[in-house]
Amino acid sequence: MIAVQQSGSAMNETNKRVDPAAPAVVITGATQGVGKALAHEFARDGYTLLLVARDEAALAATASALTKAYNVEVKFATADLSTLEGCAKVEEALRRHGLYADILVNNAASMTAGFFQDADPATLRKIVDLNARAVVDLTRRFLPDMIARRRGGILNVASVEGFMPVPYQATYAAAKALVLSLTRALAYETMGTGVRVSALAPGAVLTDMHAKAGAEYSRYVQLFPVMNAEDVARIGYRKFMRGRKIILTSWFNRLSVFARRFTPDLLLVPAMGWLFRVRDAEGNLQLPRAPAERKDGSGHARAGTSSGDGPSPPA
Ligand SMILES: NC(=O)c1ccc[n+]([C@@H]2O[C@H](COP(=O)([O-])OP(=O)(O)OC[C@H]3O[C@@H](n4cnc5c(N)ncnc54)[C@H](OP(=O)(O)O)[C@@H]3O)[C@@H](O)[C@H]2O)c1
């Protein structure tokens, strides 16, 4: 009896959500880098887009450039996706524009680099909230209706960093590990539903992200092959459309992920530490802060490293 009631109410909820609105591709973090390049890929194939980011002027400029280039409908919504309200705003924006999420691209993310103990706690929370919690939140909002329609898909932008522990970018890499694990599990759960769930896992990409995180002089940026965002998006889009679950973007990344399976952490983690340690322009190593320097009056750590969003007050 209880089971019948539950499935009845679930069905009502599903019926309420499925409406005759028009399909759209929701792309988070679409104003620059990989997200913007992915927006070009979808627009080129004629999809209606809903772009999401925080900077309204950048959203408006991106939307207008896409409309002009491909003659497609492009809407946008400003939202800080590291907050619950920000994620809710995406659903509201779709409703307002008479659209539904046919495809969701969870791309927005931020990063910080440096010693974990010196990082601003609010910045770390934001990385978890944006890079991991928002991915779960938005996926849960839109996946049920995709399954009900028996069409659509979710493309989660992860990273090669998600396959391994990464000292000095520990929280970012751990969040990407969640994205990869979530994607693999949902790809299985949604098998046969008509919905595809994939993760795009690039290596280093030429975007502002490393500089915003303070990692532009780290060895990995200097030594690893760096791809441009357009190539990453082109490969990601093509393989997503073909239904590839985990999308690696170059032979080097495929080799790294393959080698990771056979490399014990004893060797791997120190190597990652050497590659990802924060350095200055002259190559000098960043040192951990002295404990006295690290504490503020309330006992919280202060921002010890640069971050994508700048230092924020301890909360
Ligand atoms: N760059 C790389 O080397 C690299 C490598 C592997 C994977 N990736 C992944 O690729 C994706 C894109 O990275 P990217 O390098 O293109 O980043 P990016 O150039 O720094 O762009 C980040 C985008 O996310 C938006 N964003 C940031 N914080 C947000 C928030 N709180 N709420 C909503 N939107 C927010 C930004 O717009 P606003 O600032 O206006 O909000 C911007 O549009 C990320 O998932 C990243 O982890 C990047």
Side-chain angles (χ1 to χ4, degrees), residues 46-112:
Y47 285 92
T48 296
L49 305 182
L50 177 77
L51 313 180
V52 186
R54 292 166 303 175
D55 182 335
E56 187 163 11
L59 280 166
T62 308
S64 130
L66 287 164
T67 304
K68 206 181 277 176
Y70 308 106
N71 193 25
V72 289
E73 202 181 338
V74 184
K75 306 289 186 196
F76 60 86
T78 53
D80 179 351
L81 296 171
S82 68
T83 67
L84 288 177
E85 303 74 45
C87 290
K89 276 174 86 177
V90 180
E91 232 177 336
E92 286 159 24
L94 283 167
R95 220 173 291 129
R96 198 170 54 247
H97 293 300
L99 300 171
Y100 66 82
D102 189 32
I103 293 176
L104 167 66
V105 181
N106 281 310
N107 165 80
S110 64
M111 181 203 264
T112 189

Short mmCIF file of all heavy atoms in Angstrom, two decimals, residues 46-112:
data_model
loop_
_atom_site.label_atom_id
_atom_site.label_comp_id
_atom_site.label_asym_id
_atom_site.label_seq_id
_atom_site.Cartn_x
_atom_site.Cartn_y
_atom_site.Cartn_z
N GLY A 46 22.86 23.75 -33.71
CA GLY A 46 21.50 24.29 -33.70
C GLY A 46 20.74 24.16 -32.39
O GLY A 46 19.54 24.42 -32.36
N TYR A 47 21.39 23.75 -31.33
CA TYR A 47 20.68 23.61 -30.05
C TYR A 47 20.35 24.97 -29.44
O TYR A 47 21.15 25.92 -29.54
CB TYR A 47 21.55 22.85 -29.03
CG TYR A 47 21.64 21.37 -29.28
CD1 TYR A 47 22.67 20.84 -30.06
CD2 TYR A 47 20.71 20.50 -28.74
CE1 TYR A 47 22.76 19.48 -30.29
CE2 TYR A 47 20.79 19.14 -28.96
CZ TYR A 47 21.81 18.64 -29.74
OH TYR A 47 21.90 17.29 -29.96
N THR A 48 19.21 25.06 -28.79
CA THR A 48 18.87 26.21 -27.96
C THR A 48 19.65 26.07 -26.66
O THR A 48 19.74 24.97 -26.10
CB THR A 48 17.36 26.21 -27.65
OG1 THR A 48 16.66 26.38 -28.87
CG2 THR A 48 16.98 27.31 -26.67
N LEU A 49 20.22 27.18 -26.17
CA LEU A 49 21.09 27.10 -24.99
C LEU A 49 20.57 27.94 -23.84
O LEU A 49 19.97 29.00 -24.04
CB LEU A 49 22.50 27.60 -25.33
CG LEU A 49 23.24 26.98 -26.52
CD1 LEU A 49 24.63 27.61 -26.64
CD2 LEU A 49 23.39 25.47 -26.32
N LEU A 50 20.84 27.46 -22.62
CA LEU A 50 20.72 28.31 -21.43
C LEU A 50 22.11 28.32 -20.79
O LEU A 50 22.59 27.28 -20.31
CB LEU A 50 19.69 27.77 -20.43
CG LEU A 50 19.61 28.61 -19.15
CD1 LEU A 50 18.84 29.92 -19.38
CD2 LEU A 50 19.00 27.85 -18.00
N LEU A 51 22.76 29.48 -20.81
CA LEU A 51 24.10 29.61 -20.25
C LEU A 51 24.00 30.09 -18.80
O LEU A 51 23.18 30.96 -18.49
CB LEU A 51 24.92 30.64 -21.04
CG LEU A 51 24.89 30.53 -22.57
CD1 LEU A 51 25.75 31.63 -23.20
CD2 LEU A 51 25.37 29.15 -23.02
N VAL A 52 24.85 29.56 -17.95
CA VAL A 52 24.81 29.93 -16.52
C VAL A 52 26.22 30.30 -16.04
O VAL A 52 27.17 29.58 -16.32
CB VAL A 52 24.26 28.78 -15.65
CG1 VAL A 52 24.08 29.24 -14.20
CG2 VAL A 52 22.96 28.22 -16.20
N ALA A 53 26.32 31.41 -15.34
CA ALA A 53 27.57 31.83 -14.67
C ALA A 53 27.19 32.98 -13.74
O ALA A 53 26.00 33.29 -13.59
CB ALA A 53 28.62 32.25 -15.68
N ARG A 54 28.20 33.61 -13.12
CA ARG A 54 27.87 34.71 -12.20
C ARG A 54 27.92 36.08 -12.88
O ARG A 54 27.22 37.00 -12.51
CB ARG A 54 28.83 34.70 -11.01
CG ARG A 54 28.65 33.51 -10.09
CD ARG A 54 29.82 33.37 -9.16
NE ARG A 54 31.06 33.24 -9.93
CZ ARG A 54 32.28 33.19 -9.40
NH1 ARG A 54 32.42 33.26 -8.09
NH2 ARG A 54 33.35 33.08 -10.16
N ASP A 55 28.79 36.22 -13.88
CA ASP A 55 29.04 37.54 -14.47
C ASP A 55 28.03 37.81 -15.59
O ASP A 55 28.12 37.23 -16.69
CB ASP A 55 30.48 37.53 -15.02
CG ASP A 55 30.90 38.85 -15.62
OD1 ASP A 55 30.01 39.63 -16.05
OD2 ASP A 55 32.10 39.12 -15.68
N GLU A 56 27.09 38.73 -15.29
CA GLU A 56 25.99 38.98 -16.23
C GLU A 56 26.48 39.54 -17.56
O GLU A 56 26.01 39.14 -18.63
CB GLU A 56 24.98 39.94 -15.59
CG GLU A 56 23.74 40.09 -16.44
CD GLU A 56 22.56 40.70 -15.69
OE1 GLU A 56 22.76 41.19 -14.56
OE2 GLU A 56 21.46 40.67 -16.25
N ALA A 57 27.44 40.49 -17.49
CA ALA A 57 27.93 41.11 -18.73
C ALA A 57 28.60 40.07 -19.62
O ALA A 57 28.41 40.04 -20.84
CB ALA A 57 28.91 42.23 -18.38
N ALA A 58 29.39 39.18 -19.01
CA ALA A 58 30.07 38.13 -19.79
C ALA A 58 29.04 37.16 -20.38
O ALA A 58 29.20 36.71 -21.52
CB ALA A 58 31.07 37.39 -18.90
N LEU A 59 28.00 36.87 -19.63
CA LEU A 59 26.94 35.99 -20.14
C LEU A 59 26.25 36.62 -21.34
O LEU A 59 26.04 35.97 -22.38
CB LEU A 59 25.90 35.71 -19.05
CG LEU A 59 26.27 34.65 -18.01
CD1 LEU A 59 25.33 34.74 -16.80
CD2 LEU A 59 26.22 33.25 -18.62
N ALA A 60 25.92 37.90 -21.20
CA ALA A 60 25.22 38.61 -22.28
C ALA A 60 26.09 38.64 -23.53
O ALA A 60 25.61 38.40 -24.66
CB ALA A 60 24.85 40.02 -21.83
N ALA A 61 27.39 38.91 -23.35
CA ALA A 61 28.30 38.99 -24.49
C ALA A 61 28.43 37.62 -25.17
O ALA A 61 28.41 37.50 -26.40
CB ALA A 61 29.67 39.48 -24.03
N THR A 62 28.55 36.57 -24.35
CA THR A 62 28.68 35.21 -24.92
C THR A 62 27.41 34.82 -25.66
O THR A 62 27.47 34.29 -26.78
CB THR A 62 28.96 34.18 -23.79
OG1 THR A 62 30.06 34.65 -23.01
CG2 THR A 62 29.30 32.81 -24.35
N ALA A 63 26.26 35.11 -25.04
CA ALA A 63 24.98 34.75 -25.68
C ALA A 63 24.83 35.47 -27.01
O ALA A 63 24.43 34.86 -28.02
CB ALA A 63 23.83 35.10 -24.73
N SER A 64 25.17 36.76 -27.02
CA SER A 64 24.97 37.52 -28.26
C SER A 64 25.95 37.04 -29.35
O SER A 64 25.56 36.92 -30.52
CB SER A 64 25.08 39.01 -27.94
OG SER A 64 25.93 39.66 -28.79
N ALA A 65 27.17 36.70 -28.96
CA ALA A 65 28.13 36.20 -29.96
C ALA A 65 27.66 34.86 -30.54
O ALA A 65 27.77 34.62 -31.75
CB ALA A 65 29.51 36.03 -29.31
N LEU A 66 27.09 34.01 -29.70
CA LEU A 66 26.63 32.70 -30.17
C LEU A 66 25.43 32.85 -31.11
O LEU A 66 25.34 32.19 -32.15
CB LEU A 66 26.25 31.81 -28.97
CG LEU A 66 27.42 31.26 -28.15
CD1 LEU A 66 26.94 30.74 -26.80
CD2 LEU A 66 28.14 30.15 -28.91
N THR A 67 24.50 33.74 -30.73
CA THR A 67 23.32 33.96 -31.56
C THR A 67 23.75 34.47 -32.94
O THR A 67 23.25 34.03 -33.98
CB THR A 67 22.37 34.97 -30.89
OG1 THR A 67 22.06 34.47 -29.61
CG2 THR A 67 21.09 35.15 -31.68
N LYS A 68 24.68 35.43 -32.89
CA LYS A 68 25.14 36.02 -34.16
C LYS A 68 25.84 34.97 -35.03
O LYS A 68 25.62 34.89 -36.23
CB LYS A 68 26.11 37.17 -33.84
CG LYS A 68 26.16 38.21 -34.94
CD LYS A 68 27.11 39.31 -34.62
CE LYS A 68 26.50 40.38 -33.73
NZ LYS A 68 27.49 41.40 -33.35
N ALA A 69 26.68 34.15 -34.39
CA ALA A 69 27.47 33.19 -35.17
C ALA A 69 26.64 32.03 -35.71
O ALA A 69 26.90 31.55 -36.81
CB ALA A 69 28.62 32.65 -34.31
N TYR A 70 25.65 31.57 -34.96
CA TYR A 70 24.96 30.33 -35.35
C TYR A 70 23.45 30.49 -35.53
O TYR A 70 22.76 29.51 -35.82
CB TYR A 70 25.23 29.22 -34.31
CG TYR A 70 26.70 29.04 -34.02
CD1 TYR A 70 27.25 29.49 -32.82
CD2 TYR A 70 27.54 28.44 -34.95
CE1 TYR A 70 28.60 29.34 -32.55
CE2 TYR A 70 28.90 28.29 -34.70
CZ TYR A 70 29.42 28.74 -33.49
OH TYR A 70 30.75 28.60 -33.23
N ASN A 71 22.95 31.70 -35.29
CA ASN A 71 21.52 31.96 -35.46
C ASN A 71 20.67 31.00 -34.61
O ASN A 71 19.71 30.40 -35.11
CB ASN A 71 21.15 31.86 -36.95
CG ASN A 71 19.77 32.42 -37.21
OD1 ASN A 71 19.29 33.27 -36.45
ND2 ASN A 71 19.10 31.93 -38.25
N VAL A 72 21.06 30.82 -33.36
CA VAL A 72 20.30 29.96 -32.44
C VAL A 72 19.80 30.80 -31.28
O VAL A 72 20.30 31.90 -31.03
CB VAL A 72 21.15 28.80 -31.88
CG1 VAL A 72 21.46 27.78 -32.95
CG2 VAL A 72 22.43 29.32 -31.23
N GLU A 73 18.81 30.25 -30.57
CA GLU A 73 18.28 30.94 -29.39
C GLU A 73 19.20 30.68 -28.21
O GLU A 73 19.49 29.52 -27.90
CB GLU A 73 16.88 30.40 -29.09
CG GLU A 73 16.05 31.36 -28.27
CD GLU A 73 14.67 30.77 -27.98
OE1 GLU A 73 14.24 29.87 -28.72
OE2 GLU A 73 14.07 31.21 -27.00
N VAL A 74 19.68 31.74 -27.58
CA VAL A 74 20.58 31.57 -26.42
C VAL A 74 20.07 32.43 -25.27
O VAL A 74 20.00 33.66 -25.38
CB VAL A 74 22.04 31.97 -26.75
CG1 VAL A 74 22.95 31.69 -25.56
CG2 VAL A 74 22.54 31.23 -27.98
N LYS A 75 19.67 31.79 -24.19
CA LYS A 75 19.23 32.50 -22.98
C LYS A 75 20.35 32.39 -21.96
O LYS A 75 21.22 31.52 -22.06
CB LYS A 75 17.96 31.86 -22.40
CG LYS A 75 16.83 31.72 -23.40
CD LYS A 75 16.24 33.05 -23.73
CE LYS A 75 15.00 32.92 -24.62
NZ LYS A 75 14.66 34.21 -25.23
N PHE A 76 20.29 33.23 -20.94
CA PHE A 76 21.28 33.07 -19.88
C PHE A 76 20.68 33.37 -18.52
O PHE A 76 19.65 34.05 -18.42
CB PHE A 76 22.53 33.92 -20.15
CG PHE A 76 22.28 35.40 -20.25
CD1 PHE A 76 22.26 36.19 -19.11
CD2 PHE A 76 22.07 36.00 -21.48
CE1 PHE A 76 22.03 37.56 -19.20
CE2 PHE A 76 21.85 37.36 -21.59
CZ PHE A 76 21.83 38.14 -20.45
N ALA A 77 21.33 32.86 -17.49
CA ALA A 77 20.88 33.09 -16.12
C ALA A 77 22.11 33.31 -15.24
O ALA A 77 23.06 32.53 -15.32
CB ALA A 77 20.11 31.87 -15.61
N THR A 78 22.08 34.38 -14.45
CA THR A 78 23.17 34.59 -13.50
C THR A 78 22.86 33.77 -12.25
O THR A 78 21.74 33.84 -11.72
CB THR A 78 23.33 36.07 -13.10
OG1 THR A 78 22.06 36.53 -12.65
CG2 THR A 78 23.81 36.92 -14.24
N ALA A 79 23.83 33.02 -11.81
CA ALA A 79 23.62 32.22 -10.59
C ALA A 79 24.97 31.83 -10.02
O ALA A 79 25.89 31.48 -10.78
CB ALA A 79 22.82 30.96 -10.92
N ASP A 80 25.09 31.93 -8.72
CA ASP A 80 26.27 31.38 -8.04
C ASP A 80 25.92 29.93 -7.68
O ASP A 80 25.18 29.68 -6.73
CB ASP A 80 26.60 32.20 -6.79
CG ASP A 80 27.81 31.63 -6.05
OD1 ASP A 80 28.26 30.53 -6.42
OD2 ASP A 80 28.30 32.29 -5.13
N LEU A 81 26.44 29.02 -8.45
CA LEU A 81 26.04 27.61 -8.30
C LEU A 81 26.64 26.95 -7.07
O LEU A 81 26.31 25.80 -6.78
CB LEU A 81 26.42 26.83 -9.56
CG LEU A 81 25.69 27.30 -10.82
CD1 LEU A 81 26.27 26.62 -12.06
CD2 LEU A 81 24.19 27.01 -10.73
N SER A 82 27.50 27.68 -6.37
CA SER A 82 28.01 27.09 -5.12
C SER A 82 26.96 27.20 -4.01
O SER A 82 27.18 26.73 -2.91
CB SER A 82 29.32 27.76 -4.70
OG SER A 82 29.08 29.10 -4.31
N THR A 83 25.84 27.84 -4.31
CA THR A 83 24.76 27.95 -3.32
C THR A 83 23.53 27.15 -3.79
O THR A 83 23.34 26.97 -5.00
CB THR A 83 24.33 29.42 -3.13
OG1 THR A 83 23.72 29.88 -4.36
CG2 THR A 83 25.51 30.32 -2.81
N LEU A 84 22.71 26.75 -2.83
CA LEU A 84 21.48 26.03 -3.18
C LEU A 84 20.56 26.92 -4.00
O LEU A 84 19.94 26.48 -4.97
CB LEU A 84 20.74 25.61 -1.91
CG LEU A 84 21.37 24.48 -1.08
CD1 LEU A 84 20.55 24.24 0.18
CD2 LEU A 84 21.46 23.21 -1.91
N GLU A 85 20.51 28.21 -3.60
CA GLU A 85 19.63 29.16 -4.31
C GLU A 85 20.08 29.29 -5.76
O GLU A 85 19.26 29.42 -6.68
CB GLU A 85 19.66 30.56 -3.66
CG GLU A 85 19.27 30.60 -2.19
CD GLU A 85 20.36 30.05 -1.27
OE1 GLU A 85 21.54 30.40 -1.47
OE2 GLU A 85 20.03 29.26 -0.36
N GLY A 86 21.41 29.30 -5.97
CA GLY A 86 21.95 29.42 -7.33
C GLY A 86 21.49 28.27 -8.20
O GLY A 86 21.11 28.46 -9.36
N CYS A 87 21.51 27.06 -7.65
CA CYS A 87 21.07 25.89 -8.44
C CYS A 87 19.57 25.98 -8.73
O CYS A 87 19.12 25.67 -9.84
CB CYS A 87 21.40 24.59 -7.69
SG CYS A 87 23.18 24.28 -7.63
N ALA A 88 18.80 26.46 -7.74
CA ALA A 88 17.35 26.60 -7.94
C ALA A 88 17.06 27.62 -9.05
O ALA A 88 16.09 27.48 -9.81
CB ALA A 88 16.67 27.01 -6.64
N LYS A 89 17.93 28.64 -9.16
CA LYS A 89 17.72 29.68 -10.17
C LYS A 89 17.79 29.13 -11.60
O LYS A 89 17.17 29.66 -12.51
CB LYS A 89 18.76 30.81 -10.01
CG LYS A 89 18.37 31.84 -8.95
CD LYS A 89 19.47 32.83 -8.73
CE LYS A 89 19.44 33.98 -9.70
NZ LYS A 89 20.50 34.98 -9.41
N VAL A 90 18.54 28.04 -11.78
CA VAL A 90 18.65 27.45 -13.11
C VAL A 90 17.28 26.89 -13.53
O VAL A 90 16.81 27.11 -14.66
CB VAL A 90 19.72 26.33 -13.14
CG1 VAL A 90 19.82 25.71 -14.53
CG2 VAL A 90 21.08 26.87 -12.69
N GLU A 91 16.64 26.20 -12.58
CA GLU A 91 15.32 25.63 -12.88
C GLU A 91 14.31 26.75 -13.15
O GLU A 91 13.51 26.67 -14.09
CB GLU A 91 14.87 24.80 -11.66
CG GLU A 91 14.45 23.42 -12.02
CD GLU A 91 14.09 22.58 -10.81
OE1 GLU A 91 14.55 22.86 -9.68
OE2 GLU A 91 13.32 21.63 -11.02
N GLU A 92 14.39 27.81 -12.32
CA GLU A 92 13.47 28.95 -12.51
C GLU A 92 13.67 29.59 -13.88
O GLU A 92 12.71 29.93 -14.56
CB GLU A 92 13.73 30.02 -11.43
CG GLU A 92 13.21 29.65 -10.05
CD GLU A 92 13.93 30.47 -8.97
OE1 GLU A 92 14.45 31.58 -9.29
OE2 GLU A 92 13.99 29.98 -7.84
N ALA A 93 14.94 29.74 -14.26
CA ALA A 93 15.24 30.40 -15.55
C ALA A 93 14.67 29.57 -16.71
O ALA A 93 14.11 30.13 -17.65
CB ALA A 93 16.74 30.58 -15.70
N LEU A 94 14.81 28.26 -16.62
CA LEU A 94 14.26 27.41 -17.69
C LEU A 94 12.76 27.61 -17.79
O LEU A 94 12.20 27.79 -18.88
CB LEU A 94 14.57 25.93 -17.39
CG LEU A 94 16.00 25.47 -17.69
CD1 LEU A 94 16.27 24.11 -17.07
CD2 LEU A 94 16.25 25.41 -19.20
N ARG A 95 12.10 27.58 -16.62
CA ARG A 95 10.64 27.73 -16.60
C ARG A 95 10.25 29.09 -17.21
O ARG A 95 9.35 29.18 -18.03
CB ARG A 95 10.15 27.63 -15.14
CG ARG A 95 8.85 26.86 -15.01
CD ARG A 95 8.47 26.63 -13.57
NE ARG A 95 9.35 25.71 -12.88
CZ ARG A 95 9.94 25.94 -11.71
NH1 ARG A 95 9.77 27.09 -11.10
NH2 ARG A 95 10.69 25.03 -11.15
N ARG A 96 10.97 30.12 -16.78
CA ARG A 96 10.66 31.49 -17.25
C ARG A 96 10.77 31.59 -18.77
O ARG A 96 9.99 32.29 -19.41
CB ARG A 96 11.64 32.45 -16.58
CG ARG A 96 11.20 33.89 -16.59
CD ARG A 96 12.06 34.80 -15.73
NE ARG A 96 13.48 34.74 -16.00
CZ ARG A 96 14.40 34.26 -15.18
NH1 ARG A 96 14.04 33.78 -14.02
NH2 ARG A 96 15.68 34.25 -15.52
N HIS A 97 11.74 30.88 -19.33
CA HIS A 97 11.95 30.98 -20.78
C HIS A 97 11.18 29.91 -21.55
O HIS A 97 11.34 29.80 -22.78
CB HIS A 97 13.44 30.86 -21.09
CG HIS A 97 14.25 32.02 -20.59
ND1 HIS A 97 14.04 33.31 -20.99
CD2 HIS A 97 15.27 32.08 -19.71
CE1 HIS A 97 14.89 34.13 -20.39
NE2 HIS A 97 15.66 33.40 -19.60
N GLY A 98 10.36 29.13 -20.86
CA GLY A 98 9.58 28.09 -21.55
C GLY A 98 10.47 26.97 -22.10
O GLY A 98 10.23 26.46 -23.19
N LEU A 99 11.49 26.62 -21.35
CA LEU A 99 12.44 25.60 -21.80
C LEU A 99 12.51 24.46 -20.80
O LEU A 99 12.11 24.61 -19.64
CB LEU A 99 13.85 26.21 -21.93
CG LEU A 99 13.99 27.39 -22.91
CD1 LEU A 99 15.37 28.02 -22.75
CD2 LEU A 99 13.79 26.91 -24.34
N TYR A 100 13.03 23.32 -21.21
CA TYR A 100 13.40 22.28 -20.27
C TYR A 100 14.81 21.79 -20.58
O TYR A 100 15.30 22.00 -21.70
CB TYR A 100 12.39 21.11 -20.28
CG TYR A 100 12.34 20.31 -21.55
CD1 TYR A 100 13.28 19.30 -21.80
CD2 TYR A 100 11.35 20.54 -22.50
CE1 TYR A 100 13.23 18.56 -22.97
CE2 TYR A 100 11.31 19.79 -23.67
CZ TYR A 100 12.25 18.80 -23.90
OH TYR A 100 12.21 18.07 -25.06
N ALA A 101 15.44 21.20 -19.58
CA ALA A 101 16.83 20.75 -19.75
C ALA A 101 16.83 19.41 -20.49
O ALA A 101 16.55 18.38 -19.89
CB ALA A 101 17.52 20.63 -18.41
N ASP A 102 17.14 19.46 -21.78
CA ASP A 102 17.26 18.24 -22.55
C ASP A 102 18.66 17.66 -22.32
O ASP A 102 18.84 16.45 -22.21
CB ASP A 102 17.05 18.58 -24.04
CG ASP A 102 16.94 17.33 -24.89
OD1 ASP A 102 16.43 16.31 -24.40
OD2 ASP A 102 17.36 17.38 -26.06
N ILE A 103 19.63 18.57 -22.26
CA ILE A 103 21.01 18.17 -21.95
C ILE A 103 21.54 19.13 -20.89
O ILE A 103 21.31 20.34 -20.96
CB ILE A 103 21.90 18.24 -23.23
CG1 ILE A 103 21.44 17.16 -24.23
CG2 ILE A 103 23.37 18.05 -22.88
CD1 ILE A 103 22.17 17.19 -25.57
N LEU A 104 22.22 18.56 -19.91
CA LEU A 104 22.84 19.37 -18.86
C LEU A 104 24.35 19.19 -18.94
O LEU A 104 24.84 18.06 -18.93
CB LEU A 104 22.34 18.90 -17.48
CG LEU A 104 23.10 19.44 -16.26
CD1 LEU A 104 22.93 20.95 -16.11
CD2 LEU A 104 22.61 18.72 -14.98
N VAL A 105 25.07 20.30 -19.02
CA VAL A 105 26.54 20.24 -19.00
C VAL A 105 27.01 20.87 -17.71
O VAL A 105 26.93 22.09 -17.52
CB VAL A 105 27.15 20.97 -20.23
CG1 VAL A 105 28.67 20.86 -20.19
CG2 VAL A 105 26.60 20.42 -21.53
N ASN A 106 27.46 20.02 -16.79
CA ASN A 106 27.98 20.50 -15.50
C ASN A 106 29.45 20.82 -15.68
O ASN A 106 30.31 19.95 -15.54
CB ASN A 106 27.81 19.41 -14.43
CG ASN A 106 26.41 19.32 -13.90
OD1 ASN A 106 25.81 20.33 -13.51
ND2 ASN A 106 25.85 18.11 -13.87
N ASN A 107 29.72 22.07 -16.01
CA ASN A 107 31.11 22.45 -16.34
C ASN A 107 31.73 23.41 -15.31
O ASN A 107 32.93 23.35 -15.07
CB ASN A 107 31.11 23.10 -17.73
CG ASN A 107 32.40 23.86 -18.02
OD1 ASN A 107 33.42 23.27 -18.36
ND2 ASN A 107 32.37 25.18 -17.82
N ALA A 108 30.92 24.28 -14.69
CA ALA A 108 31.49 25.32 -13.81
C ALA A 108 32.28 24.68 -12.67
O ALA A 108 31.86 23.68 -12.08
CB ALA A 108 30.37 26.18 -13.23
N ALA A 109 33.44 25.25 -12.40
CA ALA A 109 34.27 24.75 -11.30
C ALA A 109 35.27 25.82 -10.93
O ALA A 109 35.54 26.73 -11.72
CB ALA A 109 35.00 23.47 -11.71
N SER A 110 35.80 25.72 -9.73
CA SER A 110 36.91 26.60 -9.35
C SER A 110 37.97 25.78 -8.63
O SER A 110 37.73 24.62 -8.24
CB SER A 110 36.41 27.77 -8.49
OG SER A 110 35.90 27.29 -7.28
N MET A 111 39.13 26.37 -8.47
CA MET A 111 40.29 25.63 -7.98
C MET A 111 41.11 26.54 -7.08
O MET A 111 41.11 27.76 -7.25
CB MET A 111 41.11 25.25 -9.22
CG MET A 111 42.34 24.45 -8.98
SD MET A 111 43.47 24.70 -10.36
CE MET A 111 43.09 23.31 -11.38
N THR A 112 41.79 25.95 -6.12
CA THR A 112 42.79 26.70 -5.37
C THR A 112 44.03 25.83 -5.29
O THR A 112 43.93 24.60 -5.32
CB THR A 112 42.29 27.10 -3.97
OG1 THR A 112 43.23 27.99 -3.38
CG2 THR A 112 42.09 25.91 -3.05
#
